[in-house]
Amino acid sequence: MKAIIQRVTTASVSVGEEQVSSIGRGLCVLLGISVEDTQKDVDYIVRKILNLRLFDDENGRAWSKSVTDREFEVLCVSQFTLQCILKANKPDFHAAMPAELAQPFYNSLLENMRCAYKPELIKEGQFGAYMQVSIQNDGPVTIELTSPKGTSDPKQMAKHEKQQQRKEKSRSKAPSESGREKGTPRPRRDPHASSGADGDVSSDRET
């Protein structure tokens, strides 16, 4: 599952001439569900959306508060085109879950989010409709999020989450040298060694 999370001052969704949903300050989330997604992907995305620290605190300290900390709103919009795979210049959407299967996942995500937060602050677009989405991006701040693959085992997913949390904490506490001991020489790179970037490339490259 993919999500594009945008910090906004306002956002709204219209179908035709009718506005079906709108929020003030908070997050507008575009969601793309893949054919491989399970309920665990839903749980992961919901947890991240509600806990990402994208807002200032009361003292103006950046990146310290989540949407739930500030009690802001969330607008979720289904967008299967996030699962696009380009074939030359033509988009292919076979990786997206078919609408009749994706809608229960989308509804489950909304339900989980409302259970974990204040339900009146969770808004949505109209699934499967041709929508116009208006977004006033605040910053701009845009985060691309993809649920991890190969973590269907709950223990492995929990381990992955803990590792991510430790990395975030170490980054926030790390000095300007990013944890590298001063004076430690960097290994010299062999100018004749290949980095792999110059290796074989796809034969399907367009000319």
Side-chain angles (χ1 to χ4, degrees):
M1 186 176 293
K2 293 183 179 180
I4 302 297
I5 303 169
Q6 299 180 83
R7 190 178 71 184
V8 300
T9 53
T10 61
S12 64
V13 177
S14 298
V15 176
E17 299 297 322
E18 179 184 359
Q19 185 179 97
V20 297
S21 195
S22 66
I23 63 169
R25 196 170 183 197
L27 299 176
C28 181
V29 183
L30 307 177
L31 295 162
I33 302 170
S34 84
V35 292
E36 299 178 350
D37 287 336
T38 68
Q39 184 61 39
K40 291 181 175 61
D41 296 280
V42 171
D43 296 340
Y44 176 88
I45 291 292
V46 167
R47 186 165 63 252
K48 284 297 185 182
I49 290 170
L50 295 181
N51 290 286
L52 282 173
R53 293 180 293 177
L54 302 181
F55 298 92
D56 299 352
D57 65 11
E58 295 77 7
N59 299 316
R61 187 163 61 97
W63 317 112
S64 57
K65 295 293 182 180
S66 68
V67 69
T68 56
D69 293 331
R70 297 301 304 272
E71 297 188 344
F72 291 153
E73 296 176 286
V74 180
L75 173 61
C76 294
V77 181
S78 61
Q79 188 171 348
F80 73 91
T81 59
L82 288 178
Q83 295 294 340
C84 168
I85 297 173
L86 287 179
K87 293 186 175 180
N89 291 321
K90 183 179 180 179
D92 183 291
F93 303 112
H94 284 93
M97 184 177 289
E100 64 273 13
L101 299 177
Q103 188 164 11
F105 273 85
Y106 178 68
N107 292 338
S108 174
L109 185 145
L110 292 170
E111 182 180 352
N112 286 13
M113 196 175 293
R114 286 173 175 140
C115 288
Y117 190 30
K118 296 183 177 182
E120 68 274 11
L121 297 182
I122 306 300
K123 307 294 178 64
E124 60 182 294
Q126 185 172 321
F127 186 91
Y130 191 93
M131 294 174 281
Q132 291 77 47
V133 183
S134 298
I135 300 169
Q136 186 72 46
N137 197 316
D138 181 24
V141 172
T142 301
I143 303 295
E144 183 179 359
L145 184 63
T146 303
S147 58
K149 298 301 178 185
T151 54
S152 57
D153 183 351
K155 291 183 179 180
Q156 290 296 323
M157 180 170 280
K159 181 179 179 181
H160 177 82
E161 280 289 283
K162 289 180 180 179
Q163 289 174 342
Q164 289 296 106
Q165 291 172 4
R166 284 197 293 268
K167 287 180 181 180
E168 290 175 2
K169 288 181 181 179
S170 64
R171 280 198 296 266
S172 62
K173 293 180 181 180
S176 59
E177 289 291 322
S178 301
R180 185 187 299 117
E181 294 184 7
K182 294 182 178 180
T184 303
R186 295 183 178 181
R188 292 185 177 180
R189 182 180 175 185
D190 184 351
H192 300 292
S194 172
S195 65
D198 298 324
D200 185 31
V201 295
S202 172
S203 61
D204 293 331
R205 177 181 296 173
E206 292 182 79
T207 57

